[in-house]
Amino acid sequence: MKKSNKIARLAISLAASFAMLITAGTTASAAVTYGDVDGDGSVTAVDASLILRHVVGIETLDGDLIQAADVDGNGSVSAIDATLVLQKAVNIINKFPAETMVSDMPDEDKTLVVYYSATGSTQRVAGYIANAADADIFELIPQVPYSSADLNWTDSSSRVVREHDDESLRNIALVNTTISDWSDYDTVFIGYPIWWGIAAWPVNGFVSSNDFSGKTVIPFCTSSSSGLGDSGKLLAEMADSGNWLDGRRFGSSVSESEVSDWVNSLGL
């Protein structure tokens, strides 16, 4: 008889031996560690027994305990799992198949869309990009918001004109420049309207406050007529880190399908 069959039979006999040791409390929620079904921090024959009791309907496992018991990673709990647990308990195997599958899986790339929007156009495009890239989204909000009058570039006394004429006024304080789990993001889109041929300066504080090392950064802008110009290049110089791509300009009436096509063409 093969060794595995002998071990399976031994596991079944152990179920009866350990029956008196297992109480109703063993089904309480525990941290998920493959094979450690009773949550005592180790993999033993007791765990194999508990799995077998579940298989034959004596014990009920659910939630995290089911995941801990499914050591072969096939989505169900069976006597095979009990056999594997017993093999691990007596050092016949070092790692469960489920653990190998998890460790062999590549880390999933995470994408973030960061944007400042003055009139809503950039916000709309940012939403399209987030949908297409399955990305998280983060809005840059000035502590002192711009009113319609502030944004009137035809009025020489408006806020935006004064900031344009006096570069020292462009240090716009933001409500927040810190993103939780920033280090987890591999790709970052940065969006803004074009003001006088450059990126709207409320994005400057975010760019200068964060380290883009190891990230792919893709600028995008909205404007009625102006192109992307050197806006992305200037932001890249300000950041002094990250791999900045050329980016894209969108008109205010761009369709979601056009934005999605562009995102898909990037091969993220």
Side-chain angles (χ1 to χ4, degrees):
M1 181 181 293
K2 294 181 180 180
K3 179 183 284 188
S4 61
N5 291 337
K6 291 181 179 179
I7 294 172
R9 292 181 55 152
L10 176 60
I12 293 172
S13 65
L14 282 170
S17 300
F18 284 105
M20 298 301 294
L21 298 177
I22 301 173
T23 66
T26 59
T27 58
S29 178
V32 176
T33 300
Y34 285 108
D36 181 19
V37 184
D38 63 1
D40 69 349
S42 60
V43 177
T44 67
V46 174
D47 298 299
S49 175
L50 189 56
I51 292 173
L52 287 174
R53 288 169 62 84
H54 171 77
V55 170
V56 299
I58 298 174
E59 193 82 17
T60 299
L61 305 178
D62 53 26
D64 289 346
L65 298 184
I66 283 290
Q67 186 175 346
D70 181 22
V71 296
D72 64 1
N74 72 347
S76 62
V77 176
S78 68
I80 294 175
D81 295 298
T83 300
L84 290 169
V85 168
L86 194 57
Q87 288 178 334
K88 178 73 174 289
V90 297
N91 298 317
I92 294 176
I93 62 173
N94 295 321
K95 183 178 288 188
F96 294 120
E99 293 176 306
T100 301
M101 286 187 289
V102 171
S103 63
D104 289 344
M105 290 178 62
D107 292 335
E108 182 180 356
D109 289 343
K110 290 187 66 177
T111 301
L112 178 68
V113 180
V114 179
Y115 73 93
Y116 164 69
S117 186
T119 63
S121 295
T122 307
Q123 181 181 44
R124 184 165 55 85
V125 174
Y128 293 162
I129 293 173
N131 289 339
D134 191 23
D136 297 328
I137 196 163
F138 185 84
E139 181 180 8
L140 301 177
I141 304 173
Q143 289 184 6
V144 180
Y146 287 82
S147 66
S148 297
D150 289 337
L151 295 169
N152 185 2
W153 60 271
T154 64
D155 180 358
S156 60
S157 64
S158 69
R159 175 183 174 183
V160 74
V161 172
R162 287 186 284 107
E163 291 171 348
H164 169 260
D165 294 343
D166 184 351
E167 191 170 342
S168 67
L169 299 177
R170 299 182 194 173
N171 185 20
I172 308 302
L174 301 171
V175 172
N176 192 6
T177 61
T178 302
I179 295 174
S180 61
D181 301 326
W182 170 249
S183 61
D184 293 343
Y185 291 102
D186 307 281
T187 303
V188 180
F189 289 85
I190 296 184
Y192 45 84
I194 289 290
W195 288 354
W196 284 273
I198 62 176
W201 35 90
V203 302
N204 293 354
F206 174 82
V207 171
S208 61
S209 298
N210 287 280
D211 182 5
F212 293 86
S213 298
K215 302 183 188 301
T216 297
V217 189
I218 308 169
F220 68 95
C221 72
T222 57
S223 71
S224 57
S225 58
S226 301
L228 187 71
D230 290 332
S231 62
K233 180 180 178 180
L234 293 172
L235 290 176
E237 292 175 355
M238 184 182 301
D240 196 29
S241 61
N243 175 31
W244 289 67
L245 304 187
D246 290 338
R248 174 77 178 266
R249 173 261 178 188
F250 296 100
S252 58
S253 61
V254 66
S255 67
E256 182 168 9
S257 61
E258 183 178 348
V259 176
S260 296
D261 288 345
W262 172 64
V263 172
N264 293 333
S265 73
L266 298 173
L268 301 177

